[in-house]
Amino acid sequence: MSKQIQAIRGMNDCLPQDSALWQYVETTLRDTAASYGYSEIRFPIVEMTELFKRSIGEVTDIVEKEMYTFTDRNGDSLTLRPEGTACCVRAGNEHGLLYNQEQRLWYTGPMFRHERPQKGRYRQFHQFGLEAFGIATPDIDAEVIILTARIWQKLGLTPYVKLELNSLGSNEARAAYRDKLVAYLEQHKDLLDEDSLRRLYSNPLRVLDSKNPALAEVLAKAPQLAEHLDAESAAHFASLQQRLTAAGIEFVINPRLVRGLDYYNKTVFEWVTTELGAQGTVCAGGRYDGLVEQLGGKATPAVGFAMGLERLILLLQSLNLAPDLPAQADIYLLAMGETAELAAISVAERLRSELPAKRVILHCGGGNLKKQFKKADKSGAAIALILGEEELARQEITVKWLREEKPQQTLKLSELAQQLA
């Protein structure tokens, strides 16, 4: 026997018993975004490698270690997308959607990072992202956060997630703060771990985000970014907090919540949970007014977020919040006899036309009535329709209720759809 081929480690199948929950979550996200006036944008899975080097930065872990990059037959360096924001900006720039315009966009799909697979973190993972372009005021920051709060409400997750906020200020204010932070960390170099030492000069703000408990005391005494905000950023942040409070959104200020990339500014936020162990962030976002220009467009204010769908589904499952989802079918049509089997094809097609919301399975594969009923029951259908030669001769069909204590009945074929509607 030849060796069985298996999926690549960290790239998982979504099986039929799981796909209904995925569809439920995806529909909730799409419908919520649409209710706020956001439109879907789709872009390729593969992009030029330079897009991510310029946006994410060459000294980040993603670009240095995690990207799936290859050279194609033309000699171009291509990369499977590790995130969606850069792709969205590239598409917006390329098609003239961004400059001097307002755009509210959302997207979803697979992303790829070569990380060590663990629960809630995979090499192929799926994200839902949302981006708003062309609005510089804090009301759009608030809207994006309020939209996420509505998602949690719809999914029943509100009691289990907490909003953390911070402000990164302007590029100039952050550069001045960066110098103070580096000077402070240099005084405690002997206590820094390998990752922090590597980031000390290339990406020092990421040191604040370290999860190493041994650094907790050092980082707790580090200079606070909030103390070095410029006046305009401080006012923006205060206004955002007022709007969230007015909307009834609870939050905490986390001074260690940062982004390591230069194009981020002002608002950063995360929704976190304690229900998933180490993988506690279920949604992360913020303002990135510098990215559009960094990728070749005209300066454009922007804010957005991304959330991992695998982590969201894990959270729903761990809290037993996954809803009772529809069975495979609503109606299962059985036929006995060759003439009835031929007629059943037309009956099933007529039902699908006249009852488009109903899922109709026509039994295939033959077998006696007992075997057919077993399959009808396994499908989860609420109704079994039995068409035999005698019923067909009378232009009738038998209706049997599989999930309710109702008497079996016989209906005219011409009235079937109307009676089942």
Side-chain angles (χ1 to χ4, degrees):
M1 266 180 85
S2 59
K3 185 180 177 183
Q4 188 179 45
I5 298 173
Q6 296 187 326
I8 297 166
R9 185 167 178 251
M11 299 188 178
N12 302 325
D13 301 305
C14 181
L15 302 179
Q17 63 262 31
D18 302 319
S19 60
L21 179 55
W22 277 78
Q23 290 168 9
Y24 162 73
V25 170
E26 290 165 347
T27 299
T28 301
L29 296 171
R30 289 187 178 105
D31 289 352
T32 305
S35 74
Y36 283 74
Y38 286 74
S39 302
E40 183 182 11
I41 184 170
R42 301 189 184 193
F43 31 76
I45 286 175
V46 179
E47 298 271 6
M48 301 296 289
T49 303
E50 185 64 19
L51 173 66
F52 303 112
K53 286 188 174 180
R54 284 172 60 183
S55 60
I56 300 171
E58 296 195 49
V59 295
T60 60
D61 288 349
I62 295 173
V63 171
E64 285 182 337
K65 304 176 183 178
E66 297 170 5
M67 294 202 314
Y68 282 91
T69 297
F70 60 96
T71 303
D72 76 350
R73 293 181 182 182
N74 295 329
D76 295 321
S77 180
L78 307 181
T79 295
L80 296 177
R81 61 189 187 197
E83 59 95 35
T85 300
C87 307
C88 190
V89 171
R90 190 272 309 151
N93 278 342
E94 185 172 337
H95 299 286
L97 300 179
L98 304 184
Y99 178 59
N100 211 22
Q101 300 174 66
E102 292 182 9
Q103 294 286 355
R104 287 172 163 90
L105 305 172
W106 68 265
Y107 52 86
T108 190
M111 311 292 168
F112 303 84
R113 295 185 192 179
H114 194 281
E115 299 184 278
R116 183 171 65 85
Q118 53 188 293
K119 189 175 182 181
R121 188 183 290 271
Y122 307 106
R123 290 176 176 173
Q124 177 178 310
F125 57 99
H126 296 75
Q127 279 189 345
F128 177 85
L130 181 146
E131 320 287 355
F133 297 96
I135 305 171
T137 47
D139 45 5
I140 192 67
D141 305 37
E143 177 182 277
V144 164
I145 293 171
I146 292 166
L147 187 154
T148 57
R150 185 169 292 275
I151 290 170
W152 311 140
Q153 181 186 27
K154 287 185 176 184
L155 295 175
L157 290 172
T158 302
Y160 306 100
V161 292
K162 178 179 72 172
L163 175 62
E164 296 186 349
L165 283 183
N166 197 17
S167 176
L168 301 179
S170 66
N171 290 343
E172 296 75 17
R174 194 164 67 257
Y177 168 73
R178 184 182 183 277
D179 293 341
K180 288 185 172 64
L181 178 62
V182 170
Y184 170 79
L185 292 173
E186 282 177 334
Q187 296 171 24
H188 301 86
K189 228 174 178 180
D190 55 325
L191 299 174
L192 299 183
D193 57 24
E194 185 181 343
D195 270 351
S196 299
L197 285 170
R198 186 168 53 84
R199 291 167 169 163
L200 178 56
Y201 299 108
S202 63
N203 211 341
L205 266 68
R206 287 297 310 280
V207 178
L208 295 174
D209 201 29
S210 172
K211 302 299 187 289
N212 185 347
L215 294 179
E217 188 177 343
V218 171
L219 298 179
K221 296 177 180 177
Q224 299 281 313
L225 181 54
E227 297 167 0
H228 297 81
L229 290 184
D230 55 290
E232 200 266 332
S233 296
H236 186 105
F237 195 42
S239 178
L240 170 61
Q241 293 174 64
Q242 288 174 348
R243 293 169 190 275
L244 294 177
T245 300
I249 307 294
E250 296 182 4
F251 58 87
V252 295
I253 307 298
N254 178 0
R256 287 175 56 185
L257 178 58
V258 295
R259 299 283 185 268
L261 309 180
D262 288 341
Y263 61 74
Y264 279 103
N265 65 307
K266 296 180 180 171
T267 306
V268 285
F269 69 89
E270 288 186 3
W271 288 92
V272 297
T273 182
T274 57
E275 303 292 335
L276 291 177
Q279 308 304 324
T281 302
V282 290
C283 174
R287 183 166 277 281
Y288 51 95
D289 294 342
L291 183 58
V292 175
E293 189 173 21
Q294 188 171 315
L295 292 179
K298 302 285 188 181
T300 302
V303 63
F305 69 76
M307 59 178 68
L309 299 193
E310 282 87 353
R311 208 169 288 183
L312 201 50
I313 285 166
L314 269 176
L315 185 56
L316 289 170
Q317 291 171 330
S318 67
L319 294 167
N320 293 316
L321 291 174
D324 292 329
L325 296 165
Q328 183 184 3
D330 299 304
I331 299 168
Y332 197 99
L333 176 53
L334 301 73
M336 296 300 295
E338 188 175 343
T339 307
E341 286 178 5
L342 290 173
I345 297 171
S346 298
V347 173
E349 287 304 305
R350 195 187 322 158
L351 285 173
R352 292 177 183 124
S353 297
E354 296 181 19
L355 301 174
K358 300 289 186 186
R359 291 155 306 156
V360 180
I361 290 182
L362 173 62
H363 179 83
C364 297
N368 58 33
L369 198 58
K370 184 178 179 182
K371 178 183 176 183
Q372 293 194 38
F373 265 115
K374 270 190 175 179
K375 290 196 173 181
D377 187 56
K378 189 176 179 181
S379 75
I383 296 171
L385 301 177
I386 305 105
L387 186 64
E389 304 284 353
E390 292 181 9
E391 286 95 341
L392 183 60
R394 298 192 302 269
Q395 287 295 291
E396 293 177 342
I397 194 165
T398 300
V399 180
K400 184 174 177 61
W401 302 88
L402 300 177
R403 313 292 161 200
E404 298 178 71
E405 294 292 333
K406 286 186 179 181
Q408 185 171 294
Q409 62 184 128
T410 302
L411 298 175
K412 289 288 186 185
L413 281 172
S414 59
E415 299 172 359
L416 179 61
Q418 182 182 351
Q419 293 292 323
L420 297 180

